Amino acid sequence: MKFFRKIRQKLVVEKKIRNYLLYAIGEIILVVIGILIALAINNGQQKRILEKKEQTYLKGLKTEFQFSKLKLNELIGVNRNNYKGAKKIIKHISEDTMAITEKQFSELLYNSFVSGISFNPNNSLLNEMINSGSLKDLSNPQLRMDLTNWISTLDDIGKQENELALQREKVLDMFRNNENSIRTIFDLAGVNAVLDLPQGNQVSSNLHLLDSQEFENNILTFMLTTYATENAHYTPLMESLDAILEILDTEIKE
């Protein structure tokens, strides 16, 4: 700096105004260039920080959605098994020639209605990003849109699952009276061993339900709701999940 001041003083003394102005302009340009370089370095650092943050989010989201896919696949399997079991019951109602034993009927009832279904995806990171406003840190606009739609779609899934649970309960309610026996189902379907319960003293038959119009109506409604749950809700949800995972794979830098 002392060197530059000496040059300026020498130029002024020698009254070389034109040269001084040129030097001053050059010095200003150097300062501006220095500022621009500093800004570029800072912007580059900020960009790298944001990219690192985005990659952390992307990898975390991929882990969450992979886990959610496993859950959804398992749930589809349970739902499909319930549908198939209910369908077998309807066949026994519709076709008189298809004899069924009390044990077979108990096993069908237990396997078809023991499992309720509810999709609980692992959305802890996604919810945190939405609540903190960090969703905007994802550079892919399609991914941001798909993630937002995913949350709203889950609300519709929940409503459908509630309807399915209601139809399942209507079937189970038929065993909460003196005419039918849950104990018979437990005894013959092997549930007593699992729950460590003693065997019942007598077996009360539930086979008369195959002649019940109410029972048939409830089974058919349950089947219809089960079918709609998979085809109108779970299948599109799985397609959305796969689309999100595909985008995540393209955005993640190894």
Side-chain angles (χ1 to χ4, degrees), residues 177-190:
N177 54 47
N178 292 326
E179 297 177 1
N180 306 305
S181 174
I182 293 179
R183 186 56 180 264
T184 296
I185 298 174
F186 279 22
D187 287 346
L188 300 181

Side-chain angles (χ1 to χ4, degrees), residues 99-113:
I100 183 173
T101 66
E102 192 73 50
K103 186 178 189 308
Q104 290 172 333
F105 189 42
S106 294
E107 289 173 343
L108 267 180
L109 288 169
Y110 180 77
N111 292 330
S112 302
F113 297 99

Side-chain angles (χ1 to χ4, degrees), residues 229-247:
T229 299
E230 177 174 352
N231 292 278
H233 295 273
Y234 283 165
T235 298
L237 185 66
M238 181 63 78
E239 292 172 354
S240 298
L241 198 157
D242 285 335
I244 290 173
L245 283 173
E246 184 177 350
I247 295 177

Side-chain angles (χ1 to χ4, degrees), residues 185-229:
I185 298 174
F186 279 22
D187 287 346
L188 300 181
V191 183
N192 286 337
V194 176
L195 300 180
D196 193 24
L197 293 175
Q199 196 76 6
N201 294 326
Q202 59 182 6
V203 176
S204 300
S205 178
N206 291 313
L207 288 175
H208 61 274
L209 284 171
L210 296 174
D211 296 321
S212 167
Q213 188 66 59
E214 180 184 3
F215 182 70
E216 181 180 23
N217 290 341
N218 286 336
I219 296 291
L220 287 171
T221 306
F222 174 78
M223 283 183 61
L224 180 63
T225 312
T226 303
Y227 180 86
T229 299

Side-chain angles (χ1 to χ4, degrees), residues 41-200:
I41 293 173
N42 182 66
N43 288 339
Q45 291 175 338
Q46 290 298 319
K47 183 179 179 181
R48 285 192 292 273
I49 292 173
L50 289 176
E51 287 178 349
K52 184 177 180 180
K53 182 180 180 182
E54 181 182 14
Q55 287 298 309
T56 300
Y57 281 146
L58 292 172
K59 292 175 182 178
L61 288 171
K62 180 178 179 179
T63 299
E64 282 193 351
F65 276 88
Q66 285 177 329
F67 190 64
S68 294
K69 182 174 182 177
L70 292 176
K71 283 185 175 181
L72 185 56
N73 268 323
E74 182 178 351
L75 209 58
I76 289 174
V78 173
N79 187 64
R80 194 171 294 168
N81 180 72
N82 293 346
Y83 174 84
K84 290 179 179 178
K87 186 176 181 180
K88 288 180 181 179
I89 293 174
I90 291 297
K91 284 185 176 181
H92 285 293
I93 293 175
S94 303
E95 302 177 18
D96 296 334
T97 57
M98 294 184 63
I100 183 173
T101 66
E102 192 73 50
K103 186 178 189 308
Q104 290 172 333
F105 189 42
S106 294
E107 289 173 343
L108 267 180
L109 288 169
Y110 180 77
N111 292 330
S112 302
F113 297 99
V114 67
S115 301
I117 60 174
S118 179
F119 182 49
N120 296 307
N122 187 3
N123 283 336
S124 55
L125 176 59
L126 178 57
N127 288 331
E128 177 187 332
M129 292 176 64
I130 292 174
N131 294 333
S132 65
S134 297
L135 201 60
K136 68 179 186 304
D137 293 331
L138 301 179
S139 57
N140 190 308
Q142 185 62 49
L143 179 59
R144 293 197 302 269
M145 182 184 300
D146 288 348
L147 291 174
T148 302
N149 291 338
W150 170 262
I151 295 298
S152 61
T153 301
L154 292 180
D155 292 335
D156 294 333
I157 295 295
K159 294 176 182 177
Q160 178 65 21
E161 289 174 340
N162 289 335
E163 177 61 27
L164 181 57
L166 176 63
Q167 300 307 324
R168 173 174 172 266
E169 283 300 312
K170 287 183 178 180
V171 176
L172 296 179
D173 282 343
M174 297 193 69
F175 293 89
R176 296 186 176 102
N177 54 47
N178 292 326
E179 297 177 1
N180 306 305
S181 174
I182 293 179
R183 186 56 180 264
T184 296
I185 298 174
F186 279 22
D187 287 346
L188 300 181
V191 183
N192 286 337
V194 176
L195 300 180
D196 193 24
L197 293 175
Q199 196 76 6

